[in-house]
């Protein structure tokens, strides 16, 4: 089951419409202010979740056929995190999050970190905005060359990631250890149509960037 989550942060009409034209989804979840761009594109979500502190409740009430989940503003998790938990609860096998990256750096960092919950549940999950694609890696992974992305960066989410070996990239690594606080994994470039990232332990944040 494929689920699309529209979160707060930067989501353009072009990104949303292109995403929906390129892939079909079984469920669409609007996380709080993410409802605004869906409404602007005349797309009805299956679920609307949030404490609704950043979206007009009149807009929420415009969608009586959507399942609305009102959260307490004094909660332990962000709206995006709760949307991810909902996607897991409805048995999603693949999750794509649009938005989640914006001017609130604290939310951006937290949204990247909560991808770990999907990883722990063996669910493929990515964050996508107009310039970046972000996902986590905990095992040997093949990534395909995408011409729109110029750089591939690898940053440890855990204290360290060991046994990192890169093939098919401009800058190669062999059995390296990437540690938090170092920047060795930034701004690599993929050369081969299929490049391989190997690691023995730890979790890596993989960020594909257009600029």
């Amino acid at each position: 089951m494929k689920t699309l989550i529209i979160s707060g942060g930067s989501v353009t009409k072009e990104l949303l419409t292109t995403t929906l034209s390129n892939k079909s989804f079984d469920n669409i979840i609007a996380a709080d202010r993410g409802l605004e761009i869906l409404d602007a594109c005349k797309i009805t979500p299956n679920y609307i979740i949030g404490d609704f502190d950043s979206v007009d409740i009149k807009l929420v009430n415009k969608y009586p056929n959507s399942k609305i989940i009102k959260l307490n503003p004094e909660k332990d998790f962000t709206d995006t995190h709760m949307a991810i938990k909902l996607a897991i609860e409805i048995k999603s096998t693949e999750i794509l999050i649009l938005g989640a990256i914006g001017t609130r750096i604290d939310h951006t960092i937290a949204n990247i970190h909560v991808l770990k919950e999907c990883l722990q549940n063996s669910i493929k999950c990515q964050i996508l905005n107009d310039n970046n694609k972000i996902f986590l890696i905990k095992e040997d992974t093949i990534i395909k060359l995408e011409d729109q992305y110029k750089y591939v960066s690898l940053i440890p989410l855990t204290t360290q990631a060991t046994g990192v070996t890169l093939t098919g990239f401009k800058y190669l690594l062999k059995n390296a250890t990437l540690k938090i606080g170092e920047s060795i994994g930034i701004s690599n470039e993929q050369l081969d149509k299929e490049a391989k990232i190997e690691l023995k332990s730890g979790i890596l944040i993989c960020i594909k960037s257009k600029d």
Side-chain angles (χ1 to χ4, degrees):
M1 182 186 297
K2 296 179 181 179
T3 296
L4 178 65
I5 295 174
I6 313 297
S7 178
S10 176
V11 183
T12 61
K13 287 185 178 180
E14 182 181 4
L15 177 64
L16 177 57
T17 55
T18 299
T19 299
L20 288 172
S21 64
N22 289 339
K23 183 179 289 190
S24 61
F25 294 91
D26 301 287
N27 286 289
I28 298 176
I29 300 174
D32 212 274
R33 193 165 61 89
L35 180 61
E36 293 179 355
I37 187 66
L38 285 168
D39 182 70
C41 293
K42 303 186 186 314
I43 297 168
T44 300
N46 302 90
Y47 299 86
I48 303 171
I49 187 170
D51 54 22
F52 308 141
D53 64 344
S54 58
V55 65
D56 192 333
I57 192 63
K58 292 180 181 178
L59 182 60
V60 176
N61 293 335
K62 183 179 174 181
Y63 293 90
N65 294 325
S66 301
K67 183 172 182 179
I68 298 172
I69 302 171
K70 176 71 166 65
L71 304 174
N72 189 327
E74 296 182 4
K75 57 188 183 302
D76 293 330
F77 304 106
T78 65
D79 293 325
T80 301
H81 194 175
M82 292 302 295
I84 290 173
K85 286 181 176 293
L86 172 60
I88 294 172
E89 182 182 327
I90 61 176
K91 308 299 183 184
S92 302
T93 55
E94 183 177 336
I95 301 170
L96 179 62
I97 305 169
L98 299 188
I101 304 171
T103 56
R104 284 289 300 271
I105 300 302
D106 51 347
H107 278 269
T108 298
I109 293 172
N111 289 335
I112 294 171
H113 279 239
V114 298
L115 294 180
K116 185 180 178 184
E117 187 159 349
C118 296
L119 196 70
Q120 291 170 331
N121 284 277
S122 300
I123 299 170
K124 179 182 178 182
C125 186
Q126 298 179 337
I127 294 174
L128 185 69
N129 74 354
D130 284 307
N131 294 298
N132 304 280
K133 178 185 287 187
I134 305 170
F135 53 96
L136 302 183
I137 295 172
K138 69 171 182 178
E139 58 192 4
D140 295 355
T141 300
I142 300 291
I143 62 172
K144 294 183 178 181
L145 183 66
E146 298 175 275
D147 291 337
Q148 68 268 38
Y149 294 109
K150 183 176 181 180
Y151 298 110
V152 179
S153 294
L154 297 172
I155 303 167
L157 179 68
T158 46
T159 303
Q160 63 180 24
T162 67
V164 179
T165 298
L166 304 180
T167 54
F169 292 91
K170 182 176 181 178
Y171 303 108
L172 304 177
L173 289 176
K174 180 68 174 178
N175 199 33
T177 297
L178 302 188
K179 300 177 181 178
I180 282 183
E182 297 179 349
S183 57
I184 189 173
I186 299 295
S187 296
N188 208 334
E189 297 178 41
Q190 184 172 342
L191 302 180
D192 295 350
K193 289 184 178 180
E194 290 190 342
K196 189 172 184 180
I197 302 168
E198 301 174 70
L199 74 160
K200 293 178 181 176
S201 69
I203 299 173
L204 292 171
I205 304 168
C206 182
I207 304 173
K208 289 187 171 186
S209 304
K210 293 182 179 179
D211 55 11

